[in-house]
Amino acid sequence: MSEKLSNHIKVGVDIRDLQIAQTGAKTYLTQLILAWEKMPDANICLIDADTKAYTGKNSFFKILEHIRFQIWKQIRLPQKAKQQGCTHIFCGDFFVPYFKQGLKTVVVLHDAFFWQTPSNYNYFWLRLFHWIGVPAAKKANLIIVPSQYTQQTVLAHETFESDKIKVVHEASREYNEAIVENDYKKYSPYFLHIGVLEKRKNLPLSIKAFKIVSNKYPNYTLVLAGNTPNKQNLNDRDTILHTIQEEGLADKVVLVGYVQPHQAAALYQNAFAYVLPSKNEGFGLPLLEAFSFGTPVISSTNGALPEIGQDAAYWVNLYGGHEEYEEKSNKNRFNKEEGSKDKSQAIKALADAMIDLIENESLRQSFIEKGKKRNLDFSWDKAAAQIYELMQTC
């Protein structure tokens, strides 16, 4: 990167989302900033809102917060960026200013869920996205997406200029904290899932599949880590709790709630396997998180997951999978091919995969090695450099 080019821009990074972002979104912005701060030629400026975001449940104040959010995005953010001498604004939360005030704007679309599953979103928030977010994104100079799957899905739903949309892969977060948390060993051996308790994570299916596993191997535990979503439309906690009681697994399925980074590291390190039966993922950070700790992964073939995991995960075709990457995932002879809308077949397919790893240690070790190797293809330093270079030329 030439010094002339690197000094040509100054990027104002909107960090307001760090007040409310959870798991993947927070990891994304935090890791990018850390990587940019390590780049000697990167010129960035962190810009935060004047007031704290409201995260309570009062309907009136939630609507008021939506309005304040748009005032921030459309007025205060570009004003502050100009005051700081910025040439670009980078927003990692789907929304950028519509009126750019002479600045270049860059927006990250982490997924296409607003188009694919609109029923999961608050009506008012969904309208704001389509009335303001999409038109502003169409005016943006650069749109970053994390996978080819997300790129193709966004373009299938909306008429963006395709040459503006660039794929930049994410990476697992860097766990610099010392792993001293040993409390989770009491659950060993355990299958693990870490993530917000959203409906699309498909955790009730994991619980039902684990019931079959537990009947055969009662010494195993299922550990679910993650907090409850702020958005009620996405919240699956009640169904998860009901399924645990319905299956008689109160002493076998453990909900540990939100975990700090050092706790997440300990959970990954001690897990027997990571289970990701998600209905849809725009990228699939948990795959790489597990790979980085040498934890074998059992995953659905939905969304971008096969694109990211390739042959390093044990694929379970729960609902028909993803056609584009079917050939790659089928190179693994342990891929479960039962693609069916019959939930009982999906449950059995997932349970069979979990049992396979219990009964075949050489198979489990092969996925550990493949995962470690696949994880080397991704890094936040690489992602940060790619995005910064794209911003210089957009």
Side-chain angles (χ1 to χ4, degrees), residues 314-363:
Y314 189 140
W315 301 112
V316 183
N317 193 347
L318 299 176
Y319 302 112
H322 188 282
E323 292 179 2
E324 182 181 355
Y325 297 99
E326 187 175 1
E327 183 180 348
K328 286 183 180 178
S329 62
N330 281 344
K331 288 179 181 178
N332 167 17
R333 69 185 181 91
F334 295 99
N335 177 55
K336 289 293 178 186
E337 297 178 354
E338 297 94 333
S340 172
K341 293 184 179 179
D342 184 339
K343 186 174 286 188
S344 64
Q345 289 186 30
I347 293 167
K348 183 179 184 302
L350 185 58
D352 286 348
M354 297 162 80
I355 290 170
D356 270 357
L357 291 193
I358 293 173
E359 296 180 343
N360 190 336
E361 181 59 23
S362 64
L363 171 63

Side-chain angles (χ1 to χ4, degrees), residues 72-323:
W72 163 251
K73 284 288 183 179
Q74 307 306 327
I75 301 174
R76 289 297 295 143
L77 175 60
Q79 284 178 346
K80 281 193 165 188
K82 287 183 73 71
Q83 289 168 2
Q84 295 290 330
C86 296
T87 58
H88 292 60
I89 295 176
F90 178 89
C91 298
D93 59 354
F94 292 89
F95 281 84
V96 288
Y98 182 86
F99 299 105
K100 301 193 286 186
Q101 300 186 34
L103 299 161
K104 292 188 175 182
T105 57
V106 182
V107 63
V108 180
L109 302 181
H110 295 280
D111 50 58
F113 299 163
F114 280 108
W115 292 278
Q116 291 176 296
T117 52
S119 61
N120 286 351
Y121 294 90
N122 171 275
Y123 176 83
F124 187 61
W125 183 241
L126 190 65
R127 298 278 72 78
L128 284 176
F129 176 72
H130 287 293
W131 291 341
I132 301 176
V134 171
K138 287 182 177 181
K139 288 186 65 177
N141 299 85
L142 177 64
I143 300 171
I144 301 294
V145 293
S147 64
Q148 294 176 31
Y149 167 77
T150 297
Q151 180 188 53
Q152 293 162 7
T153 309
V154 167
L155 289 173
H157 286 87
E158 201 67 56
T159 54
F160 288 103
E161 294 179 34
S162 59
D163 60 343
K164 283 186 179 181
I165 304 183
K166 305 297 183 182
V167 176
V168 179
H169 285 152
E170 302 172 10
S172 60
R173 64 156 289 158
E174 296 177 5
Y175 287 88
N176 297 319
E177 299 83 3
I179 303 174
V180 296
E181 188 77 38
N182 292 315
D183 289 348
Y184 304 121
K185 287 185 177 179
K186 64 187 177 186
Y187 303 126
S188 295
Y190 62 85
F191 292 91
L192 174 67
H193 182 276
I194 299 179
V196 181
L197 306 182
E198 289 187 4
K199 294 176 182 177
R200 69 181 173 87
K201 297 297 184 179
N202 214 10
L203 295 179
L205 186 137
S206 281
I207 296 166
K208 290 177 180 290
F210 180 71
K211 172 66 172 181
I212 298 173
V213 177
S214 184
N215 287 342
K216 190 171 184 180
Y217 295 99
N219 58 317
Y220 281 79
T221 308
L222 175 63
V223 176
L224 307 178
N227 54 355
T228 303
N230 291 326
K231 297 174 183 176
Q232 194 57 39
N233 301 59
L234 305 178
N235 186 3
D236 209 25
R237 182 179 176 83
D238 288 346
T239 304
I240 290 168
L241 293 174
H242 175 75
T243 306
I244 292 171
Q245 293 300 320
E246 185 179 57
E247 299 295 332
L249 293 170
D251 60 339
K252 296 289 185 179
V253 179
V254 183
L255 273 69
V256 298
Y258 176 78
V259 290
Q260 297 293 335
H262 71 282
Q263 296 171 311
L267 281 168
Y268 277 120
Q269 189 180 59
N270 293 308
F272 177 80
Y274 189 90
V275 182
L276 183 61
S278 183
K279 297 176 182 178
N280 197 0
E281 294 288 341
F283 181 77
L285 270 177
L287 282 177
L288 301 186
E289 302 262 327
F291 289 167
S292 71
F293 281 94
T295 305
V297 174
I298 299 169
S299 174
S300 71
T301 55
N302 295 325
L305 293 171
E307 173 188 346
I308 305 307
Q310 294 192 1
D311 70 342
Y314 189 140
W315 301 112
V316 183
N317 193 347
L318 299 176
Y319 302 112
H322 188 282
E323 292 179 2

Side-chain angles (χ1 to χ4, degrees), residues 11-82:
V11 182
V13 182
D14 179 7
I15 62 170
R16 179 191 180 278
D17 194 44
L18 291 180
Q19 297 182 28
I20 57 175
Q22 302 181 50
T23 57
K26 187 171 185 177
T27 297
Y28 183 90
L29 190 54
T30 301
Q31 296 297 314
L32 266 187
I33 291 170
L34 289 173
W36 279 329
E37 289 177 340
K38 290 190 296 183
M39 289 170 55
D41 295 329
N43 190 6
I44 67 167
C45 172
L46 306 184
I47 306 176
D48 201 358
D50 303 305
T51 56
K52 294 292 183 182
Y54 176 74
T55 57
K57 296 183 179 180
N58 182 281
S59 298
F60 173 78
F61 288 113
K62 285 170 71 174
I63 293 174
L64 186 63
E65 181 58 30
H66 288 320
I67 296 171
R68 290 175 60 218
F69 174 74
Q70 293 304 328
I71 292 172
W72 163 251
K73 284 288 183 179
Q74 307 306 327
I75 301 174
R76 289 297 295 143
L77 175 60
Q79 284 178 346
K80 281 193 165 188
K82 287 183 73 71

